[in-house]
């Protein structure tokens, strides 16, 4: 994963020397030519339709017009994310599917997101149009200056103004070329940034901080519910294991000891056999209790940290496993526990389903993130879906704002990457 990120950045730096300028110019020109008439049309239709509401016509037309405005705004959100890396989450209130035109009209007009869209349209057709067109202008306008220098000035016998340079002869044409070179250099450095500034302006007007907060609350609510459900399921598992395992053995051992007490004088040989059976039962009960404690929180994790705990997991696998750990401290115990059991589940899936003969585990901490990559050379095809072990891992990590990424093409290899935000101490 680190190698892929490095390659992408290197490619971007290479493109940024020339290709990014051309790409920003082409995208800005296309955006300006398409968005200006689109914004004017959407704004005009919206004003006319809303103005016709008092006479009843707008009740019928406004929902359709505002739906078109939302579609236009959503298209710009997609372009902002894909072309500018600027995320603008939508925050529209849901409408009932069976709502009549009256309810739909006033439901949409009562949505603050609708009025943000309408405020954005005049901004987009003015300042937005200029910021979108500037990258193209900084790329195309210098070409005109160079063309004047190589003889195009002769076509204008009465002279020609290039920027602030009056072109009346070859010398002044070279001055125009010098200005063109300065503009091209300026565009070389600032054209991609101007396109990003265009999308930043779009986010400033179209975006909603409340929408982001609402999405955050929704995610936290879901992860809290998952954590509560997981804790309840874990408590039920512990209770079941204690009841069906160690508790049953301890009860049987107590009954054997009672029988031994009665047979001690009458049949010492039989009493000795029952004592041996009771000793075996106590050893088995102790082993089950030890396994249960390890399932709750492994002692090696508590005593020696995540790195050694993952190494201990690898030693128990029937597949050759290589572990690389680069941690300069320890995370908080809940984070270590979540990471440990997530890795354990991923390794279990790899052993059961991947048909791999080698596994690599990389554990390191960088940029405030604990990153764990588990790679196997198996058959691939792993997906995060309902009912799969990876879905459970994703829910476990989500409780801590963690993420799970899976790369598993058919034929392998499979790489599962876990990321948890944390600080080491």
């Amino acid at each position: 994963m680190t190698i892929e990120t490095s390659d992408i950045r290197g490619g971007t730096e290479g493109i940024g020397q020339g290709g990014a300028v051309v790409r920003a110019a082409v995208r800005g020109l296309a955006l300006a030519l398409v968005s200006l008439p689109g914004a004017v049309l959407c704004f005009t239709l919206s004003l006319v339709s809303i103005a016709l509401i008092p006479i009843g016509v707008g009740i019928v037309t406004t929902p359709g017009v505002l739906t078109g405005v939302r579609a236009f705004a959503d298209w710009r959100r997609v372009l902002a994310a894909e072309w500018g890396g600027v995320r603008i989450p939508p925050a529209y209130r849901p409408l009932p599917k069976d709502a009549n035109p009256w309810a739909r009209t006033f439901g949409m007009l009562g949505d603050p997101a609708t009025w943000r869209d309408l405020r954005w349209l005049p901004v987009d057709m003015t300042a937005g149009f200029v910021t979108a067109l500037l990258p193209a202008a900084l790329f195309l306008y210098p070409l005109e200056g160079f063309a004047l220098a190589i003889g195009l000035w002769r076509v204008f016998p009465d002279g020609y103004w290039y920027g602030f340079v009056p072109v009346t002869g070859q010398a002044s044409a070279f001055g125009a070329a010098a200005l063109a070179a300065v503009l091209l250099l300026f565009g070389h450095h600032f054209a991609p940034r101007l396109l990003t500034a265009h999308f930043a302006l779009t986010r400033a007007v179209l975006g909603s901080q409340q929408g982001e907060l609402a999405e955050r609350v929704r995610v936290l609510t879901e992860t809290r519910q998952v954590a509560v459900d997981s804790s309840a399921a874990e408590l039920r598992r512990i209770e079941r294991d204690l009841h069906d395992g160690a508790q049953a053995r301890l009860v049987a051992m107590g009954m054997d000891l009672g029988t031994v007490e009665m047979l001690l004088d009458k049949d010492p040989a039989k009493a000795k056999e029952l004592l041996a059976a009771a000793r075996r039962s106590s050893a088995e009960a102790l082993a089950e209790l030890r396994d249960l404690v390890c399932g709750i929180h492994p002692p090696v994790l508590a005593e020696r940290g995540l790195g050694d705990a993952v190494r201990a997991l690898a030693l128990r696998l029937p597949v050759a496993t290589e572990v690389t750990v680069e941690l300069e401290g320890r995370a908080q115990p809940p984070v270590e526990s979540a990471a440990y059991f997530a890795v354990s589940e991923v390794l279990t899936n790899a052993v059961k389903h991947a048909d791999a003969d080698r596994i690599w585990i990389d554990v390191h901490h960088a940029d405030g993130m604990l990153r764990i990559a588990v790679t196997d050379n198996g058959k691939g095809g792993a997906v995060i879906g309902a009912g799969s072990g990876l879905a459970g891992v994703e829910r476990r990590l989500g409780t801590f704002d963690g993420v799970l990424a899976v790369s598993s093409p058919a034929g392998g290899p499979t790489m599962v990457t876990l990321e948890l935000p944390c600080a080491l101490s």
Side-chain angles (χ1 to χ4, degrees):
M1 192 170 184
T2 304
I3 294 176
E4 293 177 358
T5 304
S6 176
D7 291 344
I8 292 172
R9 290 178 179 176
T12 303
E13 291 175 358
I15 293 175
Q17 299 301 317
V21 178
V22 177
R23 185 173 60 183
V26 172
R27 288 177 172 178
L29 181 61
L31 192 59
L33 294 178
V34 175
S35 65
L36 177 60
V40 171
L41 179 63
C42 288
F43 188 67
T44 303
L45 291 178
S46 298
L47 290 182
V48 172
S49 183
I50 294 173
L52 293 176
I53 289 178
I55 64 174
V57 177
I59 298 293
V60 179
T61 60
T62 298
V65 171
L66 293 182
T67 299
V69 172
R70 292 185 176 188
F72 182 67
D74 285 338
W75 172 67
R76 297 298 291 278
R77 290 185 176 95
V78 172
L79 290 186
E82 294 182 352
W83 288 2
V86 177
R87 184 174 176 270
I88 311 173
Y92 299 114
R93 294 176 181 175
L95 294 171
K97 294 183 179 179
D98 56 348
N100 56 43
W102 180 276
R104 290 183 62 85
T105 296
F106 288 97
M108 297 178 82
L109 290 177
D111 188 348
T114 299
W115 296 103
R116 282 195 299 271
D117 290 349
L118 295 179
R119 286 197 302 267
W120 164 71
L121 290 173
V123 174
D124 189 55
M125 69 179 69
T126 53
F129 173 77
V130 173
T131 53
L133 192 61
L134 274 177
L138 290 175
F139 177 73
L140 297 176
Y141 193 53
L143 300 182
E144 181 184 346
F146 296 137
L148 290 171
I150 61 175
L152 182 63
W153 64 273
R154 302 178 189 278
V155 179
F156 306 99
D158 297 330
Y160 181 81
W161 282 88
Y162 179 77
F164 57 83
V165 178
V167 180
T168 57
Q170 189 62 52
S172 56
F174 284 139
L179 176 59
V182 173
L183 292 175
L184 189 62
L185 182 63
F186 184 84
H188 176 78
H189 289 287
F190 292 101
R193 299 179 186 179
L194 286 171
L195 190 62
T196 303
H198 167 83
F199 292 120
L201 174 65
T202 303
R203 179 176 59 185
V205 182
L206 196 58
S208 169
Q209 187 66 25
Q210 291 183 351
E212 295 180 2
L213 290 176
E215 178 67 14
R216 178 64 175 161
V217 169
R218 184 189 66 80
V219 172
L220 289 177
T221 302
E222 291 181 357
T223 55
R224 182 188 62 183
Q225 186 62 44
V226 168
V228 171
D229 294 342
S230 299
S231 298
E234 188 69 11
L235 288 175
R236 289 193 296 270
R237 181 188 68 82
I238 294 171
E239 181 183 7
R240 183 178 62 251
D241 290 346
L242 284 173
H243 182 273
D244 298 340
Q247 179 179 329
R249 292 188 183 278
L250 290 174
V251 171
M253 185 175 64
M255 295 174 63
D256 289 342
L257 290 176
T259 305
V260 167
E261 187 177 4
M262 291 185 296
L263 294 177
L264 193 58
D265 295 330
K266 298 178 181 179
D267 191 350
K270 184 64 175 177
K272 185 180 294 186
E273 292 179 5
L274 291 176
L275 281 174
R279 186 174 64 250
R280 289 194 299 271
S281 294
S282 67
E284 292 172 355
L286 182 61
E288 289 183 357
L289 287 173
R290 187 180 291 114
D291 291 340
L292 183 61
V293 170
C294 288
I296 298 172
H297 194 77
V300 66
L301 179 62
E303 296 170 4
R304 305 185 62 178
L306 181 62
D308 287 339
V310 171
R311 291 189 182 99
L313 274 178
L315 290 175
R316 296 199 296 267
L317 296 178
V319 178
T321 305
E322 180 181 338
V323 181
T324 303
V325 178
E326 296 180 2
L327 298 176
E328 298 180 354
R330 294 190 58 174
Q332 294 180 349
V335 175
E336 284 191 334
S337 180
Y340 172 84
F341 287 108
V343 172
S344 177
E345 182 66 28
V346 172
L347 292 175
T348 300
N349 285 347
V351 171
K352 286 184 177 180
H353 307 298
D355 294 334
D357 55 22
R358 193 164 186 83
I359 297 176
W360 295 266
I361 306 174
D362 177 69
V363 184
H364 68 278
H365 184 272
D367 301 326
M369 300 290 291
L370 174 64
R371 294 184 175 91
I372 305 175
V374 180
T375 308
D376 66 68
N377 61 351
K379 61 183 180 181
V383 295
I384 303 176
S388 71
L390 293 177
V393 173
E394 186 177 39
R395 289 193 297 269
R396 181 188 294 272
L397 297 180
T399 307
F400 297 88
D401 282 344
V403 296
L404 176 71
V406 178
S407 174
S408 183
T414 295
M415 182 177 183
V416 180
T417 304
L418 303 81
E419 290 192 353
L420 283 165
C422 67
L424 300 184
S425 60

